[in-house]
Amino acid sequence: GFVGQQPAIPPQRQQQAKASNDDPLNEYGYKTLGPIAAGAFSQVQRAKHMASTTEVAVKTFNKAKCAKAPHLAATMKDELLALHVLKPTQHSGVANMLELCEGRQFKHVILEYCSGGSLHRKMASNLLRRVGLP
């Protein structure tokens, strides 16, 4: 090649680099693995802490949506308050908050990852079994 010329990067490597740069959790040391759930003003993703490889759940609040709707802002505030209050107890029945990462557009609540589906689905399944349905 010529002096000062950059080697060509294969398209696949370019896509991988672009995807990792687009991940909003990278700057906090996490890699998004995939979606878990989405709501009116937040979404929950499965992620991995890059240094420890621990899987976590990340609830991301969209600050712009919360700012436009007072009831959403109040709900976000209440959820964050509950997570802060529960944090020191490390309750075994709660996905405990590990850290809060805040950027310009989003608040990312890093939570313990609990596999096995939603609590609502689990409770509904147990209720159906108790009344004799599969």
Side-chain angles (χ1 to χ4, degrees):
F2 298 100
V3 174
Q5 185 178 8
Q6 296 284 338
I9 300 172
Q12 181 183 9
R13 293 283 308 261
Q14 286 176 346
Q15 288 175 343
Q16 288 171 346
K18 184 179 185 314
S20 66
N21 289 340
D22 289 345
D23 188 339
L25 297 176
N26 273 355
E27 68 180 288
Y28 306 107
Y30 295 90
K31 178 183 179 187
T32 301
L33 300 177
I36 295 174
F41 65 103
S42 67
Q43 60 183 12
V44 182
Q45 304 270 350
R46 207 171 101 237
K48 186 178 284 194
H49 185 255
M50 290 187 278
S52 68
T53 70
T54 301
E55 279 196 33
V56 296
V58 181
K59 184 162 190 168
T60 300
F61 293 97
N62 184 319
K63 290 165 70 171
K65 283 187 180 180
C66 290
K68 289 179 186 175
H71 70 285
L72 295 179
T75 302
M76 178 183 70
K77 183 180 174 186
D78 290 346
E79 277 193 49
L80 290 172
L81 178 61
L83 289 167
H84 278 290
V85 168
L86 289 170
K87 187 176 180 183
T89 65
Q90 292 297 302
H91 192 282
S92 63
V94 175
N96 294 291
M97 182 172 69
L98 303 173
E99 72 177 297
L100 177 64
C101 304
E102 189 165 352
R104 227 179 65 241
Q105 295 178 309
F106 302 102
K107 282 188 183 190
H108 304 286
V109 181
I110 312 300
L111 303 159
E112 293 174 323
Y113 176 69
C114 304
S115 62
S118 75
L119 179 59
H120 181 270
R121 195 173 313 142
K122 188 88 164 169
M123 289 171 60
S125 172
N126 287 341
L127 177 64
L128 291 174
R129 270 192 241 122
R130 277 189 283 165
V131 294
L133 298 172

Coordinates of all heavy atoms in Angstrom, one line a residue, residues 1 14 17 21 29 81-82 102 109 129:
G1 N 0.8 -1.2 0.0 CA 0.0 0.0 0.0 C 0.9 1.2 0.0 O 2.1 1.2 0.0
Q14 N -16.7 -3.6 9.8 CA -17.3 -2.2 9.9 C -18.6 -2.3 10.6 O -18.9 -1.4 11.4 CB -17.4 -1.6 8.5 CG -16.1 -1.2 7.9 CD -16.3 -0.7 6.5 OE1 -17.3 -0.9 5.9 NE2 -15.2 -0.1 5.9
A17 N -18.2 -2.9 14.4 CA -17.7 -1.7 15.0 C -18.8 -0.7 15.2 O -19.0 -0.1 16.2 CB -16.5 -1.2 14.3
N21 N -20.6 0.8 18.6 CA -20.5 2.2 18.9 C -21.9 2.7 19.1 O -22.1 3.7 19.8 CB -19.8 3.0 17.8 CG -18.3 2.7 17.8 OD1 -17.8 2.3 18.8 ND2 -17.7 2.9 16.6
G29 N -19.9 0.6 30.4 CA -19.2 -0.7 30.6 C -20.1 -1.9 30.4 O -19.8 -3.0 30.8
L81 N -37.4 5.9 43.2 CA -37.4 6.0 44.7 C -37.5 4.6 45.3 O -36.8 4.3 46.3 CB -38.5 6.9 45.2 CG -38.7 7.1 46.7 CD1 -37.4 7.7 47.3 CD2 -39.9 7.9 47.0
A82 N -38.5 3.8 44.8 CA -38.6 2.4 45.4 C -37.4 1.6 45.2 O -37.0 0.9 46.1 CB -39.8 1.8 44.6
E102 N -26.8 7.8 34.2 CA -27.6 8.8 33.6 C -26.9 9.6 32.5 O -25.8 10.1 32.7 CB -28.1 9.8 34.7 CG -29.1 10.7 34.2 CD -29.9 11.5 35.3 OE1 -29.7 11.1 36.5 OE2 -30.6 12.4 35.0
V109 N -31.2 2.2 34.6 CA -31.2 1.5 35.9 C -30.7 0.1 35.7 O -31.3 -0.7 35.0 CB -32.6 1.5 36.5 CG1 -32.5 0.8 37.9 CG2 -33.2 2.9 36.6
R129 N -52.8 -23.4 37.8 CA -52.5 -24.7 38.3 C -53.3 -25.0 39.6 O -53.8 -26.1 39.8 CB -51.0 -24.9 38.6 CG -50.3 -25.4 37.4 CD -48.9 -25.9 37.7 NE -48.0 -25.0 36.9 CZ -47.1 -24.2 37.3 NH1 -46.8 -24.2 38.6 NH2 -46.4 -23.5 36.5

